[in-house]
Amino acid sequence: MSNWIISSCVLILVVLALRSMLGKKLSARMRYAIWAVVLVRLLVPVSISMGVTVPKLPAWEPPEVLREKSIHVPPTGSLPADGAPVDPYSSGYPRLAEDGEGVARRTDRISPLELLKWIWVGGGTVLGALLLGFNLHFGLRLRRSRRRLEGAGGPVPVYVSGGLPSPCLFGLLRPAVYVTEGAAADPVMLRHVMAHELTHYRHLDHLWSFLRGVALAVHWWNPLVWLAAVYSRRDGELACDEGALCQLGDSERTAYGETLLALVTAKGRPRDLFSFATTMSGGKRSLAERIRRISCQPKQLVSAVAATVVVLGLTVFCTFGRAPEESGAPGAWETELLSCSPDLDRDGKPETLRVLRKMGEGSAEWRLEIFNRSEVGSLEKELWSVQLDESHGGCGTYFLCQEDGLDYLLSYMPKMQQGQCTYSYRLFHLEGGEEVTDREASVEFDINFSSPSHRFDPEEIAAFMWEVNGLMGGSQLLLNTNHWMLNLEEDGRPRDNILVSLNHPDTWDFSSKDELLAGLVSYAGYAGDHPDSTRSPLEDLLAEIGAADIGDISGQDKVTAAELAALLREAAPNRTSRSHEYENFAQEWAWTWSTAEWAVPLAHGGTLYLLACDSGGTEIGYETADGCTTAFYDDTRALYDLICAAGEPYYREELPCNANLNRDRSPDKLTLRSDKPSGGSLWCLQWEDHGDIWRGEASTSHPGWKAFFLCRLDGEDYLLEYTPYIGMGMGSYRYRLFYLEEGMEVAVRENEVSFDMNFGMEGERDFDPRAIAAFMDELNGLLEHGTLLLCTDPDLAATFEGEGRLYDSLWWLDVDFERDVDKSLLENLLIYRNQALAEAAVPHTEKLLADITADDIQFMQGSRGVSKTDIVRVLNSLSEKVTLSSEERDAGSHPRRYLVGYTRDDSQHHTICLEAGAAEGEVYLDFEGTVTVPFYSENPDNDAMYLRDVPYSITGIVDDTELWQLVTEHGRHI
């Protein structure tokens, strides 16, 4: 907001300076035009992100008192603790005094910045209402006193009004010229007035006057904006004089000046700025300048124009531009002041909380700090702080809680390592900067169900989780570095659904303690009985694997069978995950998190899949005819290095994108991956930043086609996922625009359009050209700001290549349809629909032949005694024998011709021409006729539907001896 205000003021001052220094050397129209830049800046509060460094304008930093979001005032009243309760309808909330003998009510007051904001909005509303009322009253007065001036000509109506001080152009949507009685009575003066006011109309001054009023209403408190309105209005009249004289000619300069002197009699008043009309009023100074320019006809200097363009261009670049956000330097602390103002030390004065973050190489640290606040709102000494990091031992979560009108800090520390879990919380307040624990609890359990000594008590865990979630539900999240455990309910409240953290295979969304307990009992039963959580074939194999178990690995020289078996036995105790079961290893998309894979054959049958993971650990899979079991292992560096050396690397490409998809001002890492070294059938776009990972997957098979783009909108980065699907004539196109928070997608925009191109099927087809075109316009608008990251759709890739840009023009429109390149996509879709409806309406030969009856036949040429019943019987029997043909035939080889014409009940006319071929039994059939088709208007502004008769022609061949004999015996010679 401050940048908008400052840049607007700077731009106004620059334009005023240019006007003062170069105004006499510029044309009036040039002087008027440069005010448009100021108007745009005043009405558009956003800045445009530039790819280069933009000089920073002076920034106003409010003092500490104004920067505070809320300020508590002293107690508004007190009463004995054992007295009457505090009025529940009064503002604030009760506080027990430190001596325990009194209750005071604390209130908040609005901050100075918020007060200024409301004054700004209130003043703008009042001024906007005055502007609207003034012009509505002026327009009503004109309508009551006007009469049409016939024969005036021009693109807008002309009226005579007796109550006008001077002629004007007035009206926002339907502008009209209003002239005085004197001007209407004098033909010369009327010609000058019409030239002047119609120039105002061509300059769109009726619209600029309205926008000028909007700018005044928004910036009513800024004197520079009022000054800009005065001078821009004055320059608009000068530009209008200049345009009118260009139309009238130099010979009428003197006469036009006399008309101006005769009409501009009213002195300019401040309220003229409120009017949206182009009245010919003004002060002596402005009138003198207008007469001087009319008489001397000043010439515009090219050097003055060039200087104006250069200076104004640089100013616009600085005032409209916004430098790209710089990433936070590693090692530097970034500070965020929190909006809450609790009283954690019970001293009656609110504290200030802030969060600091420092980015390191692959890690981050956080500090939560609490400060005392002085009487004037500034910060005093630090009262308390805590430091956390992304490491498993240092992560945690802090909340601000309130119980019985008192403020507390809630510290929640869930830890899970090697299957050993310790969840704990503490509710505390502060005394003299020291923590005073008010409540705390913890629970310990073991999810290694394969261990004989494991402990897992569902009732104890459920009681703890229900208690801690109850505290979270009414709290405010301050700091969270333990992203894997925190979930959000639909209402945005934080909670810990421990069943999600435990990867329970069933979906549990508990709303009561009993449901939570039921989920934990179900988990315990699943984990205790399921092979994934106990001994598995993989565990049994690795525990005692020897060289004799390893198959033929002689194709590599990195390790012997005995050495490999020893490394596998060393890895066995270091399992860090539960075992996972698959039908086969191909179901495990391990390539999305692995660097290399080595498939080792086993002597007794089966395969051992060894994978070097990006994390530095390994994944091992054991596949037999019965299925596949996999698990992850850490502390296996030697095995990891061996897999990288002896195995096959997966395709991996670091994308050169300086993206910031999680809004943390640090560059993210985007990687393109595939399941084969040179790119296979499965692809993955992977995003990583400080331990958070997101993956977008696609494949080269038709159901898995997809495209991902990096979009930059309003200086922010987004991912655009686009899935265009066409199958069996059914289309479903959809996109999602989103950014990332802790590896989770946050959708900001999404849309979908579906359609059916099976126009020949029975029933109404769902094909809406307007919906399709609107979707494509919306999508292509996003693609204009996009960079292609991954595309597995060959049709979409071919469209990009053909267009030479990221633009989807719908490839299927070019299949059996001649697109008109001079028409819009919507127009082509409208034409395509009509063409498809016409083609679908053409009857199939089988239906034509099967449905014909003797009553339908209107005439038969060359029948020579053949009855309608005979010809119908033969034609009906041919419904499944006709083969469509496009070959040309020699008429001389077809000695006989037979023609049947008939009309169906729907008045559609059809003819069937039968020609005997040279070979016995070969008969050519030519079908012709008209069908009635529902057609839609191809005008994008009209969606009317009407009927049209469309001719058709079909050629077929049939091998039927009876029909051939009928034609050759009874048909006529060609």
Side-chain angles (χ1 to χ4, degrees), residues 205 208 214 244 266 333 346 359 382 548-549 566 638 718 721 850 927 940:
D205 286 338
W208 291 117
V214 174
W333 287 99
R346 314 288 195 263
M359 308 305 299
E382 180 181 294
D549 298 313
Y718 301 88
E721 179 188 46
F927 303 87

Side-chain angles (χ1 to χ4, degrees), residues 87-104:
D87 180 10
Y89 298 102
S90 61
S91 61
Y93 49 91
R95 291 286 190 181
L96 185 66
E98 292 185 4
D99 57 9
E101 297 180 358
V103 175

Side-chain angles (χ1 to χ4, degrees), residues 686-744:
Q686 180 170 299
W687 167 89
E688 297 176 77
D689 188 58
H690 303 296
D692 293 329
I693 295 178
W694 169 90
R695 295 184 179 96
E697 297 164 351
S699 78
T700 58
S701 64
H702 184 264
W705 286 350
K706 194 175 293 185
F708 286 95
F709 307 84
L710 175 64
C711 289
R712 177 158 291 177
L713 303 173
D714 299 326
E716 299 287 359
D717 290 332
Y718 301 88
L719 280 176
L720 173 65
E721 179 188 46
Y722 179 41
T723 309
Y725 176 81
I726 296 286
M728 304 298 292
M730 305 294 293
S732 176
Y733 282 30
R734 65 180 183 273
Y735 80 81
R736 290 189 311 115
L737 187 72
F738 58 93
Y739 65 93
L740 300 171
E741 281 187 0
E742 301 168 5
M744 304 298 292

Side-chain angles (χ1 to χ4, degrees), residues 10 15 35 75 278 357 635 803 845 859 866 939 947:
V10 170
V15 171
W35 286 110
T278 59
R357 185 181 65 169
D635 299 327
E803 290 282 347
T845 56
F859 64 88
V866 179
N939 181 357
L947 299 179

Side-chain angles (χ1 to χ4, degrees), residues 62-73 107-118 335-342 350-355 373 376-379 476-478:
E64 184 70 28
V65 175
L66 293 182
R67 286 202 297 267
E68 297 298 336
K69 296 186 178 179
S70 62
I71 301 176
H72 288 279
V73 299
T107 62
D108 295 338
R109 64 179 171 128
I110 193 170
S111 72
L113 281 182
E114 289 196 25
L115 181 61
L116 290 176
K117 181 185 73 173
W118 287 111
T335 303
E336 177 188 0
L337 194 66
L338 302 181
S339 60
C340 52
S341 299
E351 287 87 45
T352 295
L353 282 71
R354 67 182 184 183
V355 172
R373 191 180 347 214
V376 295
S378 60
L379 299 183
Q476 177 182 347
L477 179 62
L478 303 177

Side-chain angles (χ1 to χ4, degrees), residues 8-48:
S8 300
C9 293
V10 170
L11 192 56
I12 293 173
L13 291 174
V14 170
V15 171
L16 288 173
L18 289 172
R19 186 182 182 278
S20 176
M21 293 185 292
L22 303 176
K24 295 181 180 179
K25 301 175 183 179
L26 298 173
S27 68
R29 279 176 285 186
M30 179 70 177
R31 279 174 53 174
Y32 186 39
I34 61 179
W35 286 110
V37 180
V38 175
L39 184 59
V40 171
R41 174 75 281 195
L42 291 173
L43 297 179
V44 180
V46 299
S47 298
I48 303 171

